[in-house]
Amino acid sequence: MNLSHFLAVLRARWLAAVVVFGVVLLAAILYLVFATRVYTATASVLIDAKPDPVSSMLYGGPTPSQINTQIEILHSDRVAQRVVQNLKLADLADMRAAWASAKSGLTIQEWLTAFIENGLDPKVSSPGSNVINIGYQSADARFAATAANAYVQAYLETSIELRVDPAKQYSGFFTDQQKEARTALETAQNTLSAFQKDKGIIGTDDKFDLEMSRLTALTQELVAIQTARVDASTRQSQVGNSSQLSEVLTSGTVSGLKADLSAAELKLQDLSSRYGDKHPQVQEARAAVNELRAKIARATSDVTGSIGVDARVSHAREAEIQAAVDAQRLKVLALKETRDQGSVLARDVDNAQRSYDLVYSRASQTNLESQNRQSNATVISQATTPSLPSSPKILSVALMGFVAALGLGLGTALLLEQFDKRMRTTSDAFDFLGIPVIGIMPSPTMNRRLKGQMTMIQDRVVSGRRLPAPDKGQA
């Protein structure tokens, strides 16, 4: 279908197209006149504008998932029920009458919750923004503003409850844990104190160091005594060859006696050579030599006897020091065991103290969180009573009605033509009948001027082809 054919169809079916166009346009106008006016009031809140200083020590700002969570909270029944409660809708006679007439089978609280949720429309102001626009739609402009502000207040209260209620539960839990940790700490401290009192411990490390010093000194003394004892035993074993003993060699008495003996022997030898063995002087000199030898023997015996005494004293002293060392070692071992037990008890006290400090810190934090009434959202703007309805939108509905009316009118004309086809142009005559058009008769009602113009501009068709227009000189 070309444009000329379309215009011909439209000229022929204009009445039906105009009727449909008028009906549709009238319907749009009636909709605008009688449609219920819906007003939208909007309040804005900023999420996490003031983060909690107690629980948000490492605050990094809200994430998109957190913003979506806040929108889900706004859509929750808990917030809607608080709105119903704050507005006291259940006490309004109109609401109770509407609930009674609805006969939904729900309680009035459930019905009012569903009713108040219908108009809610929260949205993020822009992608990536922390601002949520809480819109509410209602046929009553004042109620829309009231409901939007009530939703803001209910959301703030609910968000505080959602943070404070778990904190209260944790606070109670950590308070109980704090009492148990304190009891455990006191028990550990009492156990350590009783142990120290039972063992008589004031400073375990100092006493242990003192006893270790004593053990070291006794051990050194024992080593010295053992060395002296070995030396005495060695000298005692050399008593058979007493002349070679250093004590004998260094003894002044023995040396003096030996000198006297040498002199007496020389005298005896001299007398013997002069008088013979039987001479009284010789015998007297011999007796003197024997007496000196006896004295040397006694003196040597005294010296060697002192060596034996020293050996016995060394043995006795070694046994005594060894016993003292053994006793001191047992004492040190006992102190070490006591110190180890005290260290274990001291570690128990330290662990109990750390546990108590940790639980006390957590209990203090949760207690502060449970008392915090600061919301994580801040109201930017309150909803005001809208002066113009948000629905229906007159300009949009009028434009859409006009376009729809025009489209349906044209469509109606084309549809009627489709079911009742007629020849509208000269090309239709050739297409349907196969007969060329050689002329067009004007309408009787057409005036002469129009007839002449039609004669001049109308196409001449022979065998379906356009003929050249007549010359201007022809009559």
Side-chain angles (χ1 to χ4, degrees):
M1 178 182 293
N2 53 28
L3 180 60
S4 61
H5 187 242
F6 173 76
L7 294 177
V9 171
L10 190 59
R11 285 196 301 268
R13 306 290 185 178
W14 67 270
L15 182 60
V18 169
V19 170
V20 172
F21 175 81
V23 170
V24 175
L25 188 60
L26 180 62
I29 295 174
L30 292 177
Y31 171 76
L32 291 175
V33 172
F34 295 103
T36 302
R37 299 293 187 269
V38 177
Y39 296 87
T40 300
T42 303
S44 300
V45 294
L46 176 63
I47 304 301
D48 276 345
K50 297 178 181 179
D52 182 8
V54 177
S55 58
S56 301
M57 302 301 293
L58 299 176
Y59 174 69
T63 62
S65 61
Q66 291 174 337
I67 299 298
N68 293 332
T69 301
Q70 302 307 311
I71 293 178
E72 292 296 328
I73 292 175
L74 281 166
H75 279 293
S76 66
D77 291 343
R78 184 170 180 173
V79 176
Q81 291 170 1
R82 185 174 289 276
V83 172
V84 172
Q85 179 182 356
N86 291 344
L87 294 179
K88 299 180 179 180
L89 297 180
D91 298 337
L92 299 178
D94 295 342
M95 290 295 178
R96 299 188 70 88
W99 166 68
S101 62
K103 297 180 181 180
S104 60
L106 303 175
T107 63
I108 187 170
Q109 292 295 336
E110 294 174 345
W111 185 84
L112 288 174
T113 300
F115 167 78
I116 203 69
E117 287 178 347
N118 288 333
L120 179 64
D121 184 24
K123 295 179 180 178
V124 180
S125 61
S126 62
S129 174
N130 300 340
V131 177
I132 298 179
N133 294 328
I134 303 177
Y136 194 87
Q137 298 177 351
S138 175
D140 187 344
R142 294 181 59 186
F143 181 77
T146 302
N149 292 326
Y151 253 104
V152 170
Q153 184 63 31
Y155 164 71
L156 296 178
E157 295 174 357
T158 303
S159 62
I160 292 174
E161 287 182 354
L162 292 176
R163 186 179 65 255
V164 171
D165 289 347
K168 288 182 178 179
Q169 297 177 1
Y170 281 117
S171 178
F173 169 76
F174 282 112
T175 300
D176 296 339
Q177 294 297 315
Q178 179 183 356
K179 294 179 181 178
E180 294 180 4
R182 182 171 182 175
T183 302
L185 176 60
E186 292 175 352
T187 301
Q189 290 175 339
N190 293 334
T191 302
L192 178 60
S193 299
F195 176 79
Q196 292 175 342
K197 182 178 180 181
D198 181 58
K199 301 297 183 180
I201 299 173
I202 299 176
T204 305
D205 293 336
D206 295 340
K207 187 174 182 180
F208 180 78
D209 294 339
L210 178 60
E211 296 300 334
M212 278 296 298
S213 299
R214 290 178 180 177
L215 178 60
T216 302
L218 287 173
T219 302
Q220 292 175 352
E221 186 177 357
L222 176 61
V223 172
I225 291 297
Q226 288 175 344
T227 303
R229 190 262 305 167
V230 171
D231 184 58
S233 299
T234 302
R235 292 199 305 273
Q236 187 178 12
S237 65
Q238 296 175 354
V239 170
N241 189 13
S242 58
S243 61
Q244 300 300 321
L245 291 175
S246 60
E247 288 80 358
V248 175
L249 295 175
T250 58
S251 176
T253 302
V254 175
S255 298
L257 290 174
K258 285 183 177 182
D260 294 341
L261 177 61
S262 297
E265 287 178 345
L266 289 175
K267 183 179 180 181
L268 175 61
Q269 185 179 2
D270 181 55
L271 290 174
S272 295
S273 63
R274 286 191 296 171
Y275 301 113
D277 292 337
K278 301 297 185 179
H279 192 273
Q281 291 184 354
V282 173
Q283 293 179 357
E284 183 180 357
R286 185 178 287 111
V289 169
N290 291 333
E291 184 179 357
L292 287 173
R293 287 177 178 174
K295 289 181 179 181
I296 291 174
R298 286 195 299 272
T300 301
S301 178
D302 292 340
V303 173
T304 57
S306 65
I307 293 175
V309 172
D310 291 342
R312 288 193 298 273
V313 170
S314 297
H315 277 288
R317 184 61 179 166
E318 180 184 3
E320 181 182 351
I321 297 299
Q322 184 66 54
V325 169
D326 293 339
Q328 187 66 21
R329 183 178 289 110
L330 292 175
K331 188 174 183 180
V332 170
L333 291 175
L335 282 176
K336 185 178 184 302
E337 182 180 359
T338 301
R339 187 184 69 169
D340 293 341
Q341 294 176 356
S343 299
V344 172
L345 295 177
R347 283 196 296 271
D348 291 341
V349 173
D350 293 339
N351 293 333
Q353 183 68 51
R354 284 194 293 269
S355 298
Y356 175 76
D357 293 340
L358 180 61
V359 173
Y360 178 80
S361 176
R362 194 69 181 92
S364 300
Q365 181 180 355
T366 53
N367 185 39
L368 289 175
E369 291 177 357
S370 64
Q371 297 177 7
N372 182 27
R373 307 303 298 178
Q374 179 66 39
S375 174
N376 64 340
T378 301
V379 179
I380 297 178
S381 62
Q382 294 281 348
T384 58
T385 302
S387 58
L388 297 176
S390 58
S391 177
K393 297 180 179 180
I394 297 176
L395 182 60
S396 298
V397 173
L399 181 60
M400 292 175 61
F402 177 79
V403 173
L406 182 61
L408 290 175
L410 296 177
T412 300
L414 295 176
L415 184 63
L416 291 176
E417 182 66 20
Q418 188 68 24
F419 287 102
D420 184 15
K421 291 184 179 181
R422 297 185 182 186
M423 289 185 294
R424 303 296 182 186
T425 61
T426 56
S427 62
D428 289 342
F430 182 78
D431 292 338
F432 290 114
L433 301 177
I435 300 175
V437 177
I438 60 176
I440 298 175
M441 295 183 65
S443 172
T445 59
M446 186 178 301
N447 57 39
R448 181 173 297 180
R449 183 178 179 183
L450 291 177
K451 290 179 181 179
Q453 291 178 352
M454 179 176 291
T455 301
M456 296 294 295
I457 66 174
Q458 193 63 248
D459 291 340
R460 297 294 187 265
V461 181
V462 177
S463 298
R465 295 183 180 179
R466 188 183 302 274
L467 297 178
D471 296 336
K472 293 181 179 180
Q474 295 179 352

